[in-house]
Amino acid sequence: MSLTLSATARGVAPSATLKLNAAVAQMKSEGVPVLSLGAGEPDFDTPEHIRKAAIEALNTGKTRYTDVSGIPQLRQAIADHILAQKGLRYDARQIIVGAGAKQVLYHALQAILNPGDEVVLPSPYWVSYTEMIRMAGGVPVFVNTDPANFFLPTPEQMAAAITSRTKAMILNSPNNPTGAVWPRELIVAAMELAKQHDFWIVSDEIYEALVYDGMEHISPASISEDAYSRTIVISGFSKSYAMTGWRIGYGSGPRMVIAAMAALQSHATGNVNSIAQYAALAALQGPQDCVQQMKQSFERRRSLMLDCVKNAGLTASIQPQGAFYLLLDIRSAIGKSLDGKTITDDLTFSELLLAHSFVAVVPGSPFGAPGFVRLSYAAADTVIPQAIERIGSFMHALQ
Ligand code: PMP
Ligand code: GLU
């Protein structure tokens, strides 16, 4: 017997974001004074009323298997929330609760893709999409965007990526890693293409609550009846309620695709942790001012980061309008050296910055953004100025 790995396993790169998180945790445990702008997670604790609901669930025996798709009360609360936020009407059978938006996305792609199916993916994109598409046998087809157009594709660029093999397009607004928010006209144009060429839309709306500058978050499913019938909407609690570790996200869409995702989930993991589900229920049913307060903090930190970047002589790609990331243009550093080490790309830039200045940032290449690094402003107000100052000094020390 030869003990080989599957082609799928061999083809998958580990998550660059989670790898960096682990490296930072290791350095911190060794006492290294590392400042992290890497992790894409709120630095706030989960609000108290949500934590209390989890304790209550634990103490009242909510510790057994639940429906694979989630407890009915939570699915109904999610349906109510989506109706209130996006004007989209789903019944509880059109909702699935999974282990984070990540698992829901994974099952959505597993449910719709056959080997060789193409998925149109505006680039830059969140690092896990490409790997998830490949794990489902699909082929990502990139639509390159650039800062000059605020990282938004044109309808013509999207149309040019469509072939007879196109099975789906992933939309992610607000976007990780660019912070771009798609305007209504562009979403309408994407949905027209989806209708014309008959493909699915997978809409990752995990940052829906974090939109700034008076911009509006628009769900593609809300554009028309046709759009509703071909869109799988995915969101979760990680970002809006500071619940990253609880692992709870959800999907909504046509009943047949949600049922297929539930069948897959029933064999993969079964239901999401029962206690986390009751906590999520409390998140939706409790006061919502915590969401607004955290959003205000992120908006303030965005301005702080943009000011610091400017003062340090660094170049932001665009002013982000949503989520909590900023792509920093580091192309001027490529080819330069420090302590005998040459920066050949954004990956070596990030490595050298961490080793030399103890600042963690995520390289842009795994997101389809070579020459850029991603900074997260979901970091403490005290961390942001210090970290940017260190990046500025690092850039100036390069020769
Ligand atoms: N989508 C995007 C764009 C993300 O940045 C993340 C990272 N948190 C996720 C989905 C997954 O979120 P979670 O699994 O924590 O709900
Ligand atoms: N989504 C976050 C990020 O992009 C968290 C890490 C992950 O799940 O990839 O940093």
Side-chain angles (χ1 to χ4, degrees):
M1 186 174 71
S2 63
L3 301 176
T4 57
L5 294 175
S6 68
T8 306
R10 278 183 279 126
V12 166
S15 162
T17 44
L18 297 185
K19 204 164 110 189
L20 183 80
N21 266 11
V24 170
Q26 175 69 23
M27 286 174 84
K28 282 189 175 160
S29 76
E30 289 164 1
V32 180
V34 50
L35 297 176
S36 182
L37 301 179
E41 64 177 335
D43 60 323
F44 303 112
D45 287 330
T46 303
E48 195 181 2
H49 65 280
I50 302 176
R51 286 183 275 140
K52 279 193 171 150
I55 294 167
E56 169 81 7
L58 190 55
N59 288 336
T60 53
K62 307 287 193 316
T63 52
R64 298 176 193 278
Y65 290 134
T66 73
D67 285 2
V68 168
S69 307
I71 53 173
Q73 310 92 293
L74 177 57
R75 280 185 282 136
Q76 189 54 53
I78 290 169
D80 295 345
H81 177 76
I82 297 175
L83 180 60
Q85 296 296 316
K86 308 178 189 177
L88 293 169
R89 197 173 290 281
Y90 295 107
D91 68 40
R93 281 169 300 175
Q94 292 178 276
I95 308 276
I96 182 166
V97 178
K102 197 177 253 184
Q103 191 193 29
V104 182
L105 275 159
Y106 179 79
H107 284 148
L109 293 168
Q110 291 284 340
I112 60 176
L113 295 183
N114 285 312
D117 283 348
E118 293 178 356
V119 181
V120 175
L121 188 56
S123 173
Y125 46 81
W126 181 46
V127 64
S128 289
Y129 298 147
T130 42
E131 305 310 291
M132 288 186 190
I133 293 168
R134 291 187 183 117
M135 285 157 89
V139 180
V141 176
F142 302 107
V143 178
N144 290 325
T145 66
D146 67 72
N149 196 31
F150 297 95
F151 291 116
L152 298 173
T154 61
E156 295 73 28
Q157 283 172 315
M158 289 191 281
I162 296 165
T163 73
S164 58
R165 305 224 62 166
T166 303
K167 189 73 184 283
M169 168 144 67
I170 299 185
L171 297 190
N172 172 221
S173 173
N175 179 273
N176 176 5
T178 64
V181 175
W182 283 39
R184 180 179 287 276
E185 320 79 80
L186 191 55
I187 293 180
V188 169
M191 297 320 292
E192 270 166 18
L193 289 169
K195 183 177 181 185
Q196 197 183 337
H197 299 275
D198 199 18
F199 55 78
W200 291 99
I201 295 289
V202 177
S203 179
D204 180 352
E205 304 180 15
I206 187 89
Y207 296 102
E208 62 187 84
L210 303 176
V211 178
Y212 318 117
D213 298 335
M215 294 279 296
E216 199 191 348
H217 165 74
I218 297 177
S219 175
S222 67
I223 292 297
S224 65
E225 259 178 52
D226 178 79
Y228 175 87
S229 68
R230 62 175 69 254
T231 303
I232 309 169
V233 178
I234 292 167
S235 193
F237 294 82
S238 289
K239 316 294 171 174
S240 320
Y241 295 94
M243 291 180 72
T244 47
W246 298 76
R247 309 309 303 128
I248 188 149
Y250 52 86
S252 54
R255 206 171 290 164
M256 67 117 166
V257 74
I258 298 297
M261 289 161 67
L264 290 165
Q265 185 165 303
S266 75
H267 295 294
T269 52
N271 64 268
V272 171
N273 176 307
S274 56
I275 295 155
Q277 292 190 55
Y278 284 93
L281 182 60
L284 291 180
Q285 290 180 338
Q288 298 301 302
D289 40 339
C290 55
V291 180
Q292 284 317 309
Q293 278 160 12
M294 287 190 272
K295 177 188 159 176
Q296 279 161 14
S297 299
F298 294 136
E299 192 157 16
R300 193 189 63 246
R301 290 165 176 187
R302 178 187 68 145
S303 304
L304 176 67
M305 185 174 270
L306 282 164
D307 285 349
C308 293
V309 161
K310 200 166 153 215
N311 294 340
L314 300 168
T315 313
S317 55
I318 60 163
Q319 169 162 321
Q321 292 179 308
F324 39 55
Y325 306 107
L326 179 149
L327 271 187
L328 191 70
D329 188 341
I330 54 99
R331 285 174 291 188
S332 64
I334 294 171
K336 294 187 179 166
S337 307
L338 187 66
D339 300 339
K341 292 196 181 95
T342 303
I343 295 174
T344 51
D345 52 21
D346 50 283
L347 302 152
T348 47
F349 177 95
S350 307
E351 276 165 23
L352 200 56
L353 179 69
L354 185 58
H356 183 275
S357 307
F358 305 143
V359 178
V361 300
V362 193
S365 289
F367 295 81
F372 295 83
V373 294
R374 191 193 75 175
L375 316 182
S376 162
Y377 51 87
D381 290 65
T382 47
V383 167
I384 293 171
Q386 277 190 64
I388 302 291
E389 207 183 293
R390 286 193 201 174
I391 301 175
S393 306
F394 174 82
M395 287 285 261
H396 291 126
L398 298 176
Q399 287 177 334

